[in-house]
Amino acid sequence: MNNHYFKNIDNFFVAGINYKKSDASVRGLFAIGSDQYNAILEGAATEGVSELFVLSTCNRTEIYGIAHCPHQLVRLLCGQTAGSVETFLGSAYIRQGQEAVEHVYNVASGLDSQILGDYEIVGQLKTAVKFAKEGGFVGAFTERLINSVLQASKNVKNNTELSGGTVSTAFAAVQYIRAHVPQVAAKKILLVGTGKIGRNTCKNLVDYLCTRAITLINRTPEKAQELATELGLRSAPLEHLEAELRAADVVIVATNAQQKTILREHLEGAGEKLIIDLSIPYNVADDAQTLPNVRMVNVDELSKLKDETFRMRQAEVPKARAIIAEGMEEFAEWCDMRRHVPLLKDLKAKLRTLYEHPQCPHMREQHSKLLDVQIQRVLNETAGRIKERNERGCQYIAALNEFISERN
């Protein structure tokens, strides 16, 4: 398949599912890890897709790319996940062109987050694009777009209160515990998983609940021990998971495991438990969630927490959208000028030919650097006139005539 089709906004698509139309059990079917991401990139080369990246978090899985049609991207994604194309399309949104561009701006700025203004997504977006770039799937279009998106996100964060009040999924978990667990300082808390979300949750537990009765368990024990040492907490090996679960009053699960980590036999008859599962897919077995001694909370339920912080953030949305609109306008201008690159390259070559033309022998005596400066000036002026008047052919001819008249 020819992969040299014109790369512009009209060929840019996003296909994805998120918390708005699918619950965590469905989203979990389309969660991807690094091995799956690599396989998607390998398949993209065969499919003729040369620019793409995949964003997979607890709240969304999205594939962005320049393609002939969005179904190329859908096939690439679903070909490496547990879910089918039919299941994906049942909950998916597909956006093209300016709508797809606006979507990635909204995602990076926290406007599309499950908790409004949550900026954890920015780091995840950077990681996703870096992975694709290392695989050779980030070209000029994607590079420029992401740079513009990240700058807009930074401007939103610095110039609005959209993220005011510090609320993220990790912090929402702590809010829930504070609101629903009396005398929390006297309770034993177990945190399973010390990746990014686990680390953030752990630090919030220490900072906002003023407790250090926290035990950390991670599949890689060194990571749990490192964080425990840093915060003055306790860690335990994975082999002690069942004993630690039975001893805990509050359990927070933040793992990336594809298989269930917390099983029914771990909890049955083990006393009252509050379990908060921040994992996608869920890491608490279905039959464990329904035990009479278990109160279960997941990321979807946490997102429903409403307080003054969210009302304040909602009032900042118009400011954020105005900043995004400015970023999108600048990006659109860059894309528009990029359409004229073939013409300007041809013009540059034609001007160079005129320099070597027998009818212009005096030109050969000019210094090469001076000629380059003169040609670049003509190109810049021509590009400006094309932008103002949208007359490609007329400006091409005008530039040639101008260059010739200056030389005579």
Side-chain angles (χ1 to χ4, degrees):
M1 180 180 295
N2 178 23
N3 64 355
H4 298 293
Y5 53 87
F6 202 61
K7 298 177 181 178
N8 60 20
I9 287 181
D10 292 338
N11 295 121
F12 182 64
F13 297 91
V14 56
I17 59 170
N18 64 18
Y19 63 93
K20 294 179 182 178
K21 290 181 63 178
S22 59
D23 61 25
S25 61
V26 173
R27 298 197 300 273
L29 296 174
F30 299 97
I32 68 163
S34 57
D35 290 343
Q36 292 159 304
Y37 201 159
N38 270 321
I40 289 171
L41 296 181
E42 290 174 5
T46 304
E47 187 76 31
V49 177
S50 58
E51 290 196 35
L52 87 161
F53 63 92
V54 182
L55 181 61
S56 183
T57 74
C58 61
N59 291 327
R60 69 183 68 244
T61 295
E62 299 175 332
I63 181 166
Y64 297 81
I66 297 178
H68 290 291
C69 74
H71 296 291
Q72 287 179 283
L73 303 179
V74 173
R75 287 195 299 270
L76 285 170
L77 177 67
C78 296
Q80 299 301 327
T81 60
S84 66
V85 170
E86 292 73 21
T87 301
F88 181 83
L89 292 176
S91 301
Y93 42 88
I94 295 176
R95 298 189 174 104
Q96 176 181 5
Q98 287 286 7
E99 288 187 356
V101 168
E102 183 176 9
H103 180 76
V104 68
Y105 275 93
N106 288 340
V107 168
S109 297
L111 289 177
D112 201 60
S113 295
Q114 190 166 27
I115 296 176
L116 181 65
D118 186 348
Y119 280 93
E120 287 183 6
I121 191 71
V122 174
Q124 294 162 327
L125 176 62
K126 289 179 180 178
T127 300
V129 174
K130 180 182 178 183
F131 196 99
K133 187 172 183 177
E134 290 172 350
F137 283 85
V138 172
F141 179 94
T142 303
E143 184 97 50
R144 182 77 178 214
L145 172 61
I146 295 303
N147 286 342
S148 178
V149 162
L150 294 177
Q151 184 59 53
S153 176
K154 182 178 179 180
N155 290 342
V156 169
K157 188 170 186 179
N158 291 341
N159 298 296
T160 75
E161 293 298 321
L162 190 69
S163 62
T166 313
V167 177
S168 64
T169 301
F171 187 69
V174 176
Q175 280 187 312
Y176 187 92
I177 294 170
R178 185 163 53 186
H180 294 85
V181 179
Q183 300 178 322
V184 67
K187 306 297 184 182
K188 294 181 179 179
I189 300 175
L190 175 64
L191 175 64
V192 183
T194 56
K196 183 174 181 180
I197 292 178
R199 286 181 64 88
N200 290 343
T201 304
C202 189
K203 290 179 179 179
N204 285 331
L205 289 169
V206 172
D207 292 342
Y208 294 99
L209 297 185
C210 300
T211 180
R212 281 185 163 73
I214 304 169
T215 300
L216 310 181
I217 289 181
N218 193 68
R219 189 171 298 277
T220 305
E222 293 79 11
K223 291 184 177 179
Q225 180 59 58
E226 180 183 355
L227 183 59
T229 301
E230 177 186 339
L231 299 177
L233 308 176
R234 173 177 173 269
S235 68
L238 185 61
E239 293 77 21
H240 294 178
L241 176 62
E242 182 171 357
E244 296 296 339
L245 284 168
R246 289 184 168 275
D249 302 296
V250 177
V251 179
I252 302 173
V253 189
T255 75
N256 291 321
Q258 295 301 308
Q259 304 298 324
K260 304 298 185 183
T261 302
I262 312 300
L263 306 179
R264 183 183 181 92
E265 54 264 34
H266 293 155
L267 303 171
E268 201 165 21
E272 297 293 321
K273 310 285 181 192
L274 168 62
I275 300 182
I276 300 178
D277 193 348
L278 304 180
S279 308
I280 296 293
Y282 290 155
N283 269 199
V284 179
D286 294 345
D287 57 355
Q289 296 181 36
T290 58
L291 285 170
N293 60 312
V294 170
R295 179 168 29 153
M296 190 73 209
V297 179
N298 58 42
V299 289
D300 290 337
E301 292 178 65
L302 288 177
S303 71
K304 298 174 185 176
L305 295 175
K306 301 294 180 182
D307 58 16
E308 188 60 34
T309 295
F310 291 98
R311 288 189 287 274
M312 178 194 71
R313 291 183 175 195
Q314 191 65 44
E316 296 294 293
V317 169
K319 295 179 186 177
R321 293 204 182 281
I323 291 171
I324 287 172
E326 290 180 8
M328 288 184 62
E329 183 177 356
E330 291 176 1
F331 179 68
E333 288 179 359
W334 177 83
C335 288
D336 188 55
M337 287 308 302
R338 191 166 176 257
R339 292 193 301 112
H340 306 307
V341 167
L343 177 143
L344 294 173
K345 284 184 176 179
D346 184 64
L347 175 59
K348 183 176 182 178
K350 190 68 69 177
L351 294 177
R352 179 66 65 177
T353 301
L354 287 174
Y355 162 68
E356 298 173 346
H357 197 280
Q359 293 181 357
C360 306
H362 62 282
M363 285 179 144
R364 301 193 192 98
E365 300 172 4
Q366 297 185 37
H367 195 279
S368 178
K369 289 185 178 179
L370 176 60
L371 180 68
D372 289 340
V373 170
Q374 292 171 329
I375 289 177
Q376 191 59 50
R377 177 183 60 78
V378 173
L379 291 175
N380 292 342
E381 292 175 356
T382 304
R385 288 195 293 264
I386 291 174
K387 179 180 176 181
E388 291 175 5
R389 305 173 195 174
N390 196 28
E391 297 172 342
R392 290 160 54 96
C394 295
Q395 299 310 324
Y396 185 100
I397 295 171
L400 291 175
N401 290 334
E402 176 185 341
F403 191 78
I404 293 170
S405 65
E406 288 182 0
R407 304 280 71 80
N408 292 332

